[in-house]
Amino acid sequence: MSLLRTKKFLFGSSFLIILMTLSILNTVLNDGEIRQEPFFYNDDGTINKAPPYPPFDVFPLGSDMYGYDMLHTVVEGAKYSIGIVLVVAFLRMFFSVVLSYFLFRVPESVFKALKTFAEPLSFFPQTLIAYFLLSTVVLYTIHGFHHPLWVRVSYEFIILILIAMPSLNVQLIEQKRRVWKEEFIQSAITLGGSKRHIYFKHILPQLYEEWILMFGQQFLQVLALLVHLGVLHVLFGGTIMGEGPPSSVTHEWSGLIGLNKRFMLTYEWIVYVPIMFFALTAISVAMINKALSDLFKHREMVRNNRDM
Protein backbone atom coordinates (compact mmCIF):
# COMPACT_ATOMS: atom_id res chain seq x y z
CA MET A 1 0.00 0.00 0.00
CA SER A 2 1.42 3.41 -1.02
CA LEU A 3 0.30 6.88 0.05
CA LEU A 4 0.86 8.18 -3.48
CA ARG A 5 -1.83 5.81 -4.71
CA THR A 6 -4.34 6.97 -2.10
CA LYS A 7 -6.88 9.50 -3.37
CA LYS A 8 -7.40 10.99 0.08
CA PHE A 9 -3.71 11.70 0.54
CA LEU A 10 -3.26 13.00 -3.02
CA PHE A 11 -6.22 15.39 -2.78
CA GLY A 12 -5.34 16.70 0.69
CA SER A 13 -1.64 17.17 0.09
CA SER A 14 -2.13 18.62 -3.41
CA PHE A 15 -4.56 21.25 -2.15
CA LEU A 16 -2.22 22.38 0.64
CA ILE A 17 0.92 22.36 -1.52
CA ILE A 18 -0.70 24.27 -4.40
CA LEU A 19 -2.24 26.84 -2.05
CA MET A 20 1.00 27.44 -0.17
CA THR A 21 3.01 27.63 -3.41
CA LEU A 22 0.67 30.22 -4.92
CA SER A 23 0.74 32.25 -1.71
CA ILE A 24 4.54 32.29 -1.54
CA LEU A 25 4.85 33.08 -5.26
CA ASN A 26 2.48 36.02 -4.84
CA THR A 27 4.83 37.45 -2.22
CA VAL A 28 8.01 36.71 -4.16
CA LEU A 29 6.87 37.71 -7.65
CA ASN A 30 4.11 40.21 -6.89
CA ASP A 31 5.44 41.73 -3.63
CA GLY A 32 2.28 40.55 -1.86
CA GLU A 33 0.04 42.90 -3.85
CA ILE A 34 -3.65 42.00 -4.22
CA ARG A 35 -5.78 42.83 -7.26
CA GLN A 36 -8.13 45.75 -6.66
CA GLU A 37 -10.88 47.43 -8.67
CA PRO A 38 -12.11 50.45 -6.65
CA PHE A 39 -14.69 51.72 -9.17
CA PHE A 40 -15.93 51.25 -12.72
CA TYR A 41 -16.87 54.45 -14.56
CA ASN A 42 -19.22 55.21 -17.45
CA ASP A 43 -18.05 57.23 -20.44
CA ASP A 44 -19.51 60.38 -18.90
CA GLY A 45 -17.46 59.89 -15.71
CA THR A 46 -20.29 58.65 -13.50
CA ILE A 47 -19.77 55.54 -11.38
CA ASN A 48 -21.08 52.39 -13.01
CA LYS A 49 -20.01 49.81 -10.41
CA ALA A 50 -18.69 50.12 -6.89
CA PRO A 51 -17.41 47.49 -4.44
CA PRO A 52 -18.16 45.10 -2.93
CA TYR A 53 -18.55 43.13 -6.14
CA PRO A 54 -20.50 39.86 -5.94
CA PRO A 55 -18.97 36.56 -7.11
CA PHE A 56 -18.59 36.06 -10.89
CA ASP A 57 -19.09 39.76 -11.55
CA VAL A 58 -15.59 41.30 -11.53
CA PHE A 59 -13.68 38.57 -9.70
CA PRO A 60 -14.47 34.82 -9.47
CA LEU A 61 -15.26 34.91 -5.73
CA GLY A 62 -16.20 38.58 -5.43
CA SER A 63 -14.43 41.42 -3.66
CA ASP A 64 -14.39 43.03 -0.23
CA MET A 65 -15.66 46.52 0.61
CA TYR A 66 -12.55 48.13 -0.87
CA GLY A 67 -12.61 46.24 -4.16
CA TYR A 68 -9.86 43.74 -3.32
CA ASP A 69 -10.23 40.33 -4.98
CA MET A 70 -11.36 37.87 -2.27
CA LEU A 71 -9.73 34.86 -3.91
CA HIS A 72 -6.44 36.73 -4.25
CA THR A 73 -6.71 37.94 -0.65
CA VAL A 74 -7.26 34.42 0.67
CA VAL A 75 -4.37 33.04 -1.41
CA GLU A 76 -2.05 35.78 -0.10
CA GLY A 77 -3.03 34.99 3.50
CA ALA A 78 -2.64 31.22 3.10
CA LYS A 79 1.07 31.17 3.95
CA TYR A 80 0.36 32.97 7.23
CA SER A 81 -2.72 30.95 8.18
CA ILE A 82 -1.40 27.49 7.30
CA GLY A 83 2.17 28.37 8.29
CA ILE A 84 1.15 29.56 11.75
CA VAL A 85 -0.91 26.43 12.36
CA LEU A 86 1.90 24.15 11.15
CA VAL A 87 4.47 25.80 13.42
CA VAL A 88 2.20 25.78 16.50
CA ALA A 89 1.09 22.16 15.97
CA PHE A 90 4.69 21.00 15.40
CA LEU A 91 6.05 22.82 18.47
CA ARG A 92 3.20 21.50 20.62
CA MET A 93 4.13 17.95 19.65
CA PHE A 94 7.91 18.52 19.86
CA PHE A 95 7.93 20.05 23.34
CA SER A 96 5.37 17.53 24.63
CA VAL A 97 7.42 14.58 23.33
CA VAL A 98 10.60 15.99 24.92
CA LEU A 99 8.94 16.85 28.24
CA SER A 100 7.10 13.52 28.47
CA TYR A 101 10.45 11.74 28.06
CA PHE A 102 11.49 13.10 31.46
CA LEU A 103 8.10 12.57 33.10
CA PHE A 104 6.79 9.21 31.96
CA ARG A 105 8.79 7.27 34.58
CA VAL A 106 7.79 9.47 37.54
CA PRO A 107 6.18 7.71 40.53
CA GLU A 108 2.48 6.90 40.23
CA SER A 109 1.54 9.50 42.87
CA VAL A 110 3.29 12.27 40.92
CA PHE A 111 1.64 11.18 37.66
CA LYS A 112 -1.79 11.19 39.29
CA ALA A 113 -1.15 14.74 40.52
CA LEU A 114 -0.17 15.82 36.99
CA LYS A 115 -3.27 14.17 35.58
CA THR A 116 -5.49 15.81 38.21
CA PHE A 117 -4.10 19.22 37.19
CA ALA A 118 -4.27 18.62 33.42
CA GLU A 119 -7.66 16.93 32.98
CA PRO A 120 -9.80 19.94 34.06
CA LEU A 121 -7.87 22.13 31.60
CA SER A 122 -8.78 19.81 28.73
CA PHE A 123 -12.48 20.54 29.37
CA PHE A 124 -12.02 24.31 29.74
CA PRO A 125 -12.31 26.11 26.35
CA GLN A 126 -8.85 26.98 25.07
CA THR A 127 -10.37 29.95 23.25
CA LEU A 128 -11.23 31.70 26.51
CA ILE A 129 -7.80 31.06 28.01
CA ALA A 130 -6.09 32.37 24.87
CA TYR A 131 -8.41 35.38 24.64
CA PHE A 132 -7.73 36.63 28.18
CA LEU A 133 -3.99 36.04 27.86
CA LEU A 134 -3.63 37.61 24.40
CA SER A 135 -6.14 40.45 24.24
CA THR A 136 -4.10 42.92 26.30
CA VAL A 137 -1.00 42.31 24.15
CA VAL A 138 -2.23 42.08 20.55
CA LEU A 139 -4.96 44.76 20.58
CA TYR A 140 -4.10 48.24 19.31
CA THR A 141 -4.88 51.13 21.70
CA ILE A 142 -5.04 54.89 21.34
CA HIS A 143 -1.35 54.89 22.22
CA GLY A 144 -0.55 52.29 19.55
CA PHE A 145 0.75 48.81 20.19
CA HIS A 146 2.50 48.45 23.53
CA HIS A 147 4.94 45.92 22.06
CA PRO A 148 6.74 45.55 18.69
CA LEU A 149 5.54 42.99 16.14
CA TRP A 150 8.17 40.35 16.96
CA VAL A 151 7.21 40.43 20.65
CA ARG A 152 3.48 40.09 19.86
CA VAL A 153 4.10 37.21 17.44
CA SER A 154 6.47 35.41 19.84
CA TYR A 155 4.08 35.84 22.77
CA GLU A 156 1.15 34.53 20.75
CA PHE A 157 3.15 31.49 19.64
CA ILE A 158 4.08 30.78 23.27
CA ILE A 159 0.48 31.02 24.50
CA LEU A 160 -0.95 28.92 21.67
CA ILE A 161 1.63 26.23 22.42
CA LEU A 162 1.41 26.27 26.22
CA ILE A 163 -2.38 26.06 26.55
CA ALA A 164 -2.34 22.57 25.00
CA MET A 165 0.78 21.25 26.77
CA PRO A 166 -0.76 19.91 30.03
CA SER A 167 -3.37 17.64 28.45
CA LEU A 168 -1.10 16.69 25.54
CA ASN A 169 1.72 15.75 27.92
CA VAL A 170 -0.55 13.55 30.00
CA GLN A 171 -1.76 11.82 26.84
CA LEU A 172 1.81 11.12 25.68
CA ILE A 173 2.89 9.97 29.15
CA GLU A 174 -0.01 7.51 29.27
CA GLN A 175 1.01 6.12 25.87
CA LYS A 176 4.62 5.63 26.98
CA ARG A 177 3.64 4.08 30.30
CA ARG A 178 1.36 1.66 28.45
CA VAL A 179 4.22 0.52 26.20
CA TRP A 180 6.61 0.36 29.17
CA LYS A 181 4.42 -2.36 30.72
CA GLU A 182 4.68 -4.60 27.65
CA GLU A 183 6.50 -7.91 28.04
CA PHE A 184 9.21 -7.11 25.49
CA ILE A 185 10.12 -3.97 27.45
CA GLN A 186 10.44 -5.97 30.65
CA SER A 187 12.65 -8.45 28.80
CA ALA A 188 14.87 -5.59 27.58
CA ILE A 189 15.15 -4.31 31.17
CA THR A 190 16.09 -7.79 32.39
CA LEU A 191 18.82 -7.99 29.74
CA GLY A 192 20.32 -4.79 31.11
CA GLY A 193 19.07 -2.21 28.61
CA SER A 194 19.39 1.40 29.79
CA LYS A 195 16.39 3.73 29.93
CA ARG A 196 17.73 5.74 26.98
CA HIS A 197 18.33 2.60 24.90
CA ILE A 198 14.88 1.18 25.66
CA TYR A 199 13.21 4.51 24.94
CA PHE A 200 14.78 5.09 21.52
CA LYS A 201 15.01 1.46 20.36
CA HIS A 202 11.73 0.04 21.67
CA ILE A 203 9.26 2.73 22.78
CA LEU A 204 9.63 5.26 19.97
CA PRO A 205 9.12 2.69 17.18
CA GLN A 206 5.87 1.68 18.88
CA LEU A 207 4.49 5.20 19.18
CA TYR A 208 5.74 7.38 16.32
CA GLU A 209 2.77 6.46 14.10
CA GLU A 210 0.34 7.57 16.81
CA TRP A 211 2.26 10.83 17.14
CA ILE A 212 2.02 11.52 13.42
CA LEU A 213 -1.77 11.19 13.65
CA MET A 214 -1.79 13.35 16.78
CA PHE A 215 0.06 16.06 14.85
CA GLY A 216 -2.84 16.14 12.36
CA GLN A 217 -5.29 16.41 15.24
CA GLN A 218 -3.33 19.28 16.74
CA PHE A 219 -3.29 21.01 13.34
CA LEU A 220 -7.10 20.90 13.21
CA GLN A 221 -7.35 22.04 16.83
CA VAL A 222 -5.11 25.07 16.26
CA LEU A 223 -6.99 25.89 13.04
CA ALA A 224 -10.29 25.98 14.92
CA LEU A 225 -8.73 28.01 17.76
CA LEU A 226 -7.53 30.71 15.34
CA VAL A 227 -11.03 30.97 13.86
CA HIS A 228 -12.53 31.45 17.31
CA LEU A 229 -9.96 34.11 18.20
CA GLY A 230 -10.59 35.84 14.88
CA VAL A 231 -14.29 36.14 15.66
CA LEU A 232 -13.26 37.75 18.97
CA HIS A 233 -10.99 40.20 17.07
CA VAL A 234 -7.82 38.73 18.58
CA LEU A 235 -5.79 38.46 15.38
CA PHE A 236 -2.36 36.98 14.91
CA GLY A 237 0.28 39.71 14.97
CA GLY A 238 -2.14 42.33 16.27
CA THR A 239 -5.55 43.93 15.81
CA ILE A 240 -5.64 47.60 14.87
CA MET A 241 -8.56 49.19 16.74
CA GLY A 242 -9.26 52.76 15.70
CA GLU A 243 -12.17 55.05 14.90
CA GLY A 244 -13.12 52.87 11.92
CA PRO A 245 -13.62 49.11 11.71
CA PRO A 246 -10.86 46.92 13.18
CA SER A 247 -8.16 45.81 10.75
CA SER A 248 -5.46 43.14 10.65
CA VAL A 249 -1.70 43.41 10.45
CA THR A 250 -1.66 40.41 8.06
CA HIS A 251 -4.20 38.83 5.68
CA GLU A 252 -4.46 35.60 7.65
CA TRP A 253 -7.87 33.96 7.35
CA SER A 254 -9.12 34.19 10.91
CA GLY A 255 -8.76 37.97 10.63
CA LEU A 256 -10.74 38.01 7.38
CA ILE A 257 -13.57 36.15 9.10
CA GLY A 258 -13.53 38.12 12.34
CA LEU A 259 -13.23 41.55 10.75
CA ASN A 260 -15.91 40.93 8.13
CA LYS A 261 -18.51 39.04 10.15
CA ARG A 262 -20.63 42.19 10.18
CA PHE A 263 -21.32 41.58 6.47
CA MET A 264 -22.77 38.11 7.05
CA LEU A 265 -26.32 39.16 6.20
CA THR A 266 -25.54 41.67 3.45
CA TYR A 267 -22.40 40.77 1.49
CA GLU A 268 -22.09 37.21 2.76
CA TRP A 269 -19.40 36.12 0.29
CA ILE A 270 -16.86 38.35 2.06
CA VAL A 271 -17.15 36.02 5.08
CA TYR A 272 -17.93 32.76 3.31
CA VAL A 273 -14.81 32.76 1.09
CA PRO A 274 -12.26 32.56 3.97
CA ILE A 275 -14.60 30.17 5.82
CA MET A 276 -14.67 27.95 2.71
CA PHE A 277 -10.87 27.87 2.55
CA PHE A 278 -10.66 27.14 6.27
CA ALA A 279 -13.06 24.24 5.73
CA LEU A 280 -11.16 22.94 2.68
CA THR A 281 -7.89 23.08 4.62
CA ALA A 282 -9.44 21.18 7.54
CA ILE A 283 -10.91 18.58 5.17
CA SER A 284 -7.55 18.21 3.41
CA VAL A 285 -5.69 17.60 6.69
CA ALA A 286 -8.41 15.19 7.87
CA MET A 287 -8.09 13.26 4.58
CA ILE A 288 -4.30 13.08 4.95
CA ASN A 289 -4.72 11.83 8.51
CA LYS A 290 -7.24 9.20 7.37
CA ALA A 291 -4.90 8.03 4.61
CA LEU A 292 -2.03 7.75 7.11
CA SER A 293 -4.26 5.90 9.59
CA ASP A 294 -5.26 3.39 6.91
CA LEU A 295 -1.60 2.95 5.94
CA PHE A 296 -0.53 2.30 9.53
CA LYS A 297 -3.38 -0.20 10.03
CA HIS A 298 -2.34 -1.99 6.83
CA ARG A 299 1.27 -2.17 8.03
CA GLU A 300 0.13 -3.55 11.39
CA MET A 301 -1.98 -6.18 9.65
CA VAL A 302 0.98 -7.21 7.46
CA ARG A 303 3.26 -7.46 10.51
CA ASN A 304 0.71 -9.58 12.39
CA ASN A 305 0.27 -11.94 9.43
CA ARG A 306 4.03 -12.27 9.10
CA ASP A 307 4.41 -13.17 12.78
CA MET A 308 1.74 -15.87 12.60
Side-chain angles (χ1 to χ4, degrees), residues 173-190:
I173 291 171
E174 286 181 329
Q175 291 176 348
K176 294 177 182 180
R177 289 168 75 91
R178 183 191 73 229
V179 176
W180 188 265
K181 296 176 182 177
E182 296 287 343
E183 290 184 6
F184 67 93
I185 297 293
Q186 300 306 314
S187 299
I189 296 173
T190 304

Side-chain angles (χ1 to χ4, degrees), residues 18-65:
I18 292 172
L19 190 58
M20 287 291 286
T21 302
L22 291 175
S23 183
I24 293 171
L25 286 176
N26 188 64
T27 300
V28 174
L29 302 179
N30 198 35
D31 200 27
E33 295 294 325
I34 299 172
R35 289 185 299 177
Q36 181 186 26
E37 290 289 353
F39 298 101
F40 283 90
Y41 295 93
N42 295 314
D43 294 337
D44 59 0
T46 58
I47 295 177
N48 183 19
K49 288 182 182 179
Y53 306 114
F56 307 110
D57 184 4
V58 177
F59 301 118
L61 297 182
S63 78
D64 64 8
M65 294 298 294

Side-chain angles (χ1 to χ4, degrees), residues 245-290:
S247 59
S248 173
V249 173
T250 67
H251 293 292
E252 56 101 7
W253 298 343
S254 62
L256 295 178
I257 296 172
L259 299 177
N260 294 316
K261 67 178 186 287
R262 64 188 186 279
F263 301 123
M264 183 71 78
L265 299 179
T266 51
Y267 310 114
E268 62 278 358
W269 65 87
I270 300 179
V271 184
Y272 287 161
V273 170
I275 288 177
M276 178 181 69
F277 275 84
F278 254 121
L280 288 173
T281 300
I283 291 171
S284 297
V285 173
M287 292 177 77
I288 293 172
N289 240 30
K290 183 64 170 64

Side-chain angles (χ1 to χ4, degrees), residues 127-289:
T127 304
L128 291 181
I129 300 175
Y131 175 79
F132 289 119
L133 292 175
L134 292 174
S135 58
T136 56
V137 174
V138 302
L139 293 181
Y140 187 89
T141 67
I142 57 173
H143 304 293
F145 286 114
H146 293 299
H147 307 280
L149 179 62
W150 72 270
V151 173
R152 300 196 303 270
V153 169
S154 301
Y155 178 71
E156 189 156 5
F157 269 123
I158 291 170
I159 296 302
L160 293 177
I161 292 166
L162 288 182
I163 58 177
M165 290 283 286
S167 58
L168 191 55
N169 262 292
V170 167
Q171 192 175 351
L172 292 177
I173 291 171
E174 286 181 329
Q175 291 176 348
K176 294 177 182 180
R177 289 168 75 91
R178 183 191 73 229
V179 176
W180 188 265
K181 296 176 182 177
E182 296 287 343
E183 290 184 6
F184 67 93
I185 297 293
Q186 300 306 314
S187 299
I189 296 173
T190 304
L191 293 172
S194 65
K195 177 182 174 182
R196 183 186 301 271
H197 173 82
I198 293 172
Y199 184 84
F200 287 102
K201 295 295 183 179
H202 298 288
I203 294 180
L204 285 187
Q206 294 290 319
L207 294 176
Y208 80 93
E209 293 179 351
E210 293 184 44
W211 294 348
I212 292 174
L213 298 178
M214 287 177 66
F215 171 78
Q217 295 167 1
Q218 289 300 312
F219 185 99
L220 296 174
Q221 188 180 102
V222 178
L223 198 67
L225 178 59
L226 287 181
V227 175
H228 298 159
L229 291 175
V231 172
L232 296 173
H233 288 170
V234 177
L235 311 181
F236 197 89
T239 309
I240 300 174
M241 309 288 288
E243 296 180 357
S247 59
S248 173
V249 173
T250 67
H251 293 292
E252 56 101 7
W253 298 343
S254 62
L256 295 178
I257 296 172
L259 299 177
N260 294 316
K261 67 178 186 287
R262 64 188 186 279
F263 301 123
M264 183 71 78
L265 299 179
T266 51
Y267 310 114
E268 62 278 358
W269 65 87
I270 300 179
V271 184
Y272 287 161
V273 170
I275 288 177
M276 178 181 69
F277 275 84
F278 254 121
L280 288 173
T281 300
I283 291 171
S284 297
V285 173
M287 292 177 77
I288 293 172
N289 240 30

